[in-house]
Amino acid sequence: MGRLVIVSNRAPSVDGTGDSGGLVVALKDALSQQGGLWIGGAPKQTETPSDELVFHQRPDFDIALFELEPELYRDYYLGYSNSVLWPALHGRVDLINVQPHFSAAYREVARRLARQIAQTVTHDDVIWVHDYQLIPLAHELRALGVTSRIGFFLHIPLPDLQTFKAIPDWQDLAGCLADYDLLGLQTQRDLSHLINIFRHTLRGELRANGNMGINGREVVLGCFPISIDVRGFRQLAVEGAARTAPPPLPRLIGVDRLDYSKGLPHRLHGYETFLSQAPEFCNKVALLQIAPPTRDDVDAYKAIRSELEHLAGRINGSFGTVEWTPVQYIHRALPRDDLAVLYRYSRVGLVTPLFDGMNLVAKEYVAAQDESDPGVLILSQFAGAAEEMSDALIVNPHDPQDVADAIKTALQMPLAERRKRHEALYSHLEEHDVAHWSAAFLKRLLAVEKTDPVWLERFARLELVAKTG
Ligand code: GDG
């Protein structure tokens, strides 16, 4: 094979700083083993963007940045990606903000990026596109005659057909998805939604091998639950805890970007219900909520921030004493090493999103625990992670009573049960870490027939048209 080419909205840093989490860790090995290129958006926008990719070399892999004007970036990223697609795909159709120039910008970015990528990729390269910001990329690359294998992984959930139809150009979007060779989703839940969307929109036919026949092509479908560097994260927690004293009170912890999909107000309602029904725990536990800001410029995010601050203030005002603050709320990102220790020293991990592709915090919390005295994970049934992590206490985040009961159960859980649940969760995670995830996706992508005969035929026709035209 040629190079592995990763494409995402944001590129890793050019100097390798800040590589400690997420996708970069996941893909670093594959990229450096095979000689790789990561194409992503430049960290800053410019009024005079280059119309070619801007290349940088790192010792492990190359980076190519695409530049955009501030206005185009705003309409593509804050606009279509995060004010239409993000709410729609998270089932929050009430928060969709449809503006015609948003969708035009979204398609324009994919077209431009495809032109730049087409200049650098060869037939043997394998292209792996990430996430909802870049769904039309394969469509645009094919239109330019790119024959490389192209896979796509959706990090966020895919809702059911009715919800998907709330996206104004949902048919186009479904068509763009069908232009990939391999489509990877986080969960079986999302996969079944995709199959239904393809059936109804493109008359897709499910084949015995689980793939779909669409317009004479076979689109390979798969479920690839993303994970973390389990051993690496555990190591961070162990080393950090050796340098840090445990907190004075048993702690409950939540760590989430301040996003409406994460169910933060619902979580605080659950905690409030717990405190009001179990006064014996007042003064005896504390909730630490870390919620760094994200997409501040979108109105829905301003609203969630003020709602959360109001609720935290109300709980502290009602239940707090001079010596005790029931909710500690930090609206700032903390270093990753600190997070690992905070998880390890927390008796309860609260992960209660309303809808989430996977949720890596659930996996980080489990990885960070001390196996001889582990804490308990409370996990929303709507987090993708719930499909794999049934040994957590699974809750309905919309029901404050359910959350309150789970908090009490977790705090009172005997050591033997905590250890049993943790062992089951950890051993699954250890086998299904992020390296397992990327290897599984790439193996499926490489198994796709190298030159899709349907594309070749279409390209041949295109060439003919070009020549005779
Ligand atoms: C999307 C999907 C899917 C959070 N606060 C701090 C901090 N974080 C880190 C966490 C975790 C990451 O951010 C959040 O990951 P999640 O998976 O929970 O959520 P999204 O950001 O929404 O990610 C999601 C994911 O993509 C991967 O496919 O699981 O469903 O929505 O790693 O630790 N990191 C640091 N300081 C913080 O204050 N350093």
Side-chain angles (χ1 to χ4, degrees):
M1 107 179 215
R3 294 168 304 175
L4 170 60
V5 179
I6 304 290
V7 191
S8 63
N9 169 60
R10 240 179 251 146
S13 66
V14 168
D15 60 5
T17 53
D19 276 359
S20 56
L23 269 192
V24 188
V25 169
L27 298 170
K28 223 174 181 168
D29 284 351
L31 281 165
S32 41
Q33 273 158 25
Q34 296 168 210
L37 173 65
W38 193 313
I39 300 173
K44 286 209 174 102
Q45 291 78 54
T46 161
E47 289 298 349
T48 52
S50 163
D51 51 16
E52 289 175 4
L53 294 169
V54 181
F55 285 83
H56 298 268
Q57 280 186 339
R58 280 177 36 155
D60 39 7
F61 55 87
D62 292 344
I63 290 194
L65 300 178
F66 62 94
E67 298 180 340
L68 297 173
E69 299 88 338
E71 198 179 338
L72 181 64
Y73 178 80
R74 199 189 55 220
D75 291 347
Y76 141 78
Y77 182 73
L78 292 175
Y80 196 80
S81 299
N82 287 310
S83 301
V84 178
L85 286 184
W86 179 276
L89 297 183
H90 283 89
R92 290 300 304 271
V93 294
D94 55 316
L95 295 177
I96 296 179
N97 174 9
V98 178
Q99 310 274 347
H101 54 287
F102 287 175
S103 92
Y106 183 72
R107 295 307 294 259
E108 168 62 13
V109 168
R111 256 192 304 275
R112 266 202 216 175
L113 182 56
R115 276 201 298 273
Q116 298 180 8
I117 294 176
Q119 290 169 12
T120 180
V121 291
T122 67
H123 173 68
D124 288 334
D125 291 339
V126 170
I127 305 175
W128 184 358
V129 180
H130 287 265
D131 231 359
Y132 61 104
Q133 303 93 347
L134 298 173
I135 291 172
L137 195 57
H139 179 80
E140 300 298 342
L141 285 167
R142 295 308 186 202
L144 296 170
V146 171
T147 53
S148 324
R149 281 168 283 196
I150 314 179
F152 177 81
F153 184 75
L154 184 66
H155 289 254
I156 68 175
L158 193 68
D160 59 30
L161 176 67
Q162 288 311 316
T163 310
F164 188 75
K165 281 182 167 180
I167 301 168
D169 27 17
W170 58 279
Q171 279 134 319
D172 278 356
L173 210 62
C176 287
L177 281 168
D179 281 334
Y180 285 93
D181 294 311
L182 165 63
L183 286 170
L185 297 152
Q186 299 271 26
T187 54
Q188 292 295 339
R189 167 194 74 188
D190 300 344
L191 191 55
S192 69
H193 290 158
L194 180 66
I195 290 169
N196 211 24
I197 289 168
F198 278 159
R199 270 195 180 127
H200 284 83
T201 318
L202 303 168
R203 301 211 184 132
E205 281 172 20
L206 190 60
R207 298 194 171 153
N209 60 6
N211 299 331
M212 281 205 110
I214 301 175
N215 297 331
R217 290 183 57 237
E218 178 161 288
V219 182
V220 181
L221 309 182
C223 168
F224 305 91
I226 199 169
S227 190
I228 59 165
D229 171 14
V230 177
R231 293 200 184 92
F233 198 75
R234 179 175 185 280
Q235 188 68 15
L236 266 189
V238 170
E239 285 168 5
R243 298 188 299 264
T244 322
L249 289 179
R251 182 200 289 139
L252 295 87
I253 191 166
V255 177
D256 313 74
R257 284 184 306 99
L258 185 42
D259 191 289
Y260 49 80
S261 66
K262 303 294 182 184
L264 293 165
H266 301 68
R267 184 178 307 167
L268 287 194
H269 283 301
Y271 182 57
E272 190 175 32
T273 304
F274 160 74
L275 290 178
S276 63
Q277 294 175 354
E280 68 276 19
F281 280 100
C282 288
N283 267 310
K284 301 278 185 328
V285 293
L287 167 63
L288 170 62
Q289 178 62 57
I290 297 159
T294 177
R295 303 170 200 161
D296 283 1
D297 302 330
V298 177
D299 285 344
Y301 288 79
K302 292 182 189 128
I304 183 87
R305 178 179 176 182
S306 63
E307 187 180 0
L308 192 65
E309 287 172 359
H310 170 77
L311 271 171
R314 185 172 87 192
I315 296 172
N316 285 338
S318 309
F319 296 93
T321 62
V322 174
E323 292 83 28
W324 178 58
T325 308
V327 182
Q328 213 188 337
Y329 162 63
I330 300 180
H331 183 53
R332 198 162 21 86
L334 300 186
R336 195 163 171 77
D337 310 28
D338 293 358
L339 277 191
V341 183
L342 290 170
Y343 287 134
R344 190 172 176 89
Y345 279 147
S346 295
R347 275 294 309 276
V348 181
L350 275 170
V351 179
T352 55
L354 306 181
F355 206 12
D356 217 333
M358 178 54 55
N359 197 297
L360 296 180
V361 170
K363 296 188 172 182
E364 290 166 359
Y365 178 75
V366 168
Q369 294 308 299
D370 173 357
E371 64 275 20
S372 66
D373 185 16
V376 179
L377 174 65
I378 295 179
L379 181 60
S380 162
Q381 67 194 70
F382 303 113
E387 272 189 15
E388 290 171 274
M389 302 181 86
S390 54
D391 285 284
L393 293 179
I394 304 292
V395 294
N396 174 3
H398 296 282
D399 179 0
Q401 189 61 55
D402 200 23
V403 176
D405 291 346
I407 292 175
K408 192 164 180 191
T409 305
L411 288 168
Q412 293 177 330
M413 191 178 283
L415 177 63
E417 186 178 349
R418 283 191 276 129
R419 283 171 75 157
K420 198 165 136 232
R421 284 176 184 266
H422 177 260
E423 196 188 329
L425 289 167
Y426 188 84
S427 59
H428 173 86
L429 277 191
E430 212 176 15
E431 267 181 47
H432 299 84
D433 65 0
V434 73
H436 178 273
W437 168 77
S438 61
F441 185 93
L442 285 171
K443 191 169 161 209
R444 283 290 276 285
L445 186 53
L446 288 170
V448 169
E449 202 179 341
K450 197 163 176 188
T451 307
D452 186 325
V454 176
W455 290 128
L456 280 189
E457 198 197 311
R458 282 189 208 162
F459 295 148
R461 261 189 276 133
L462 277 177
E463 264 177 41
L464 207 64
V465 173
K467 277 181 200 146
T468 51

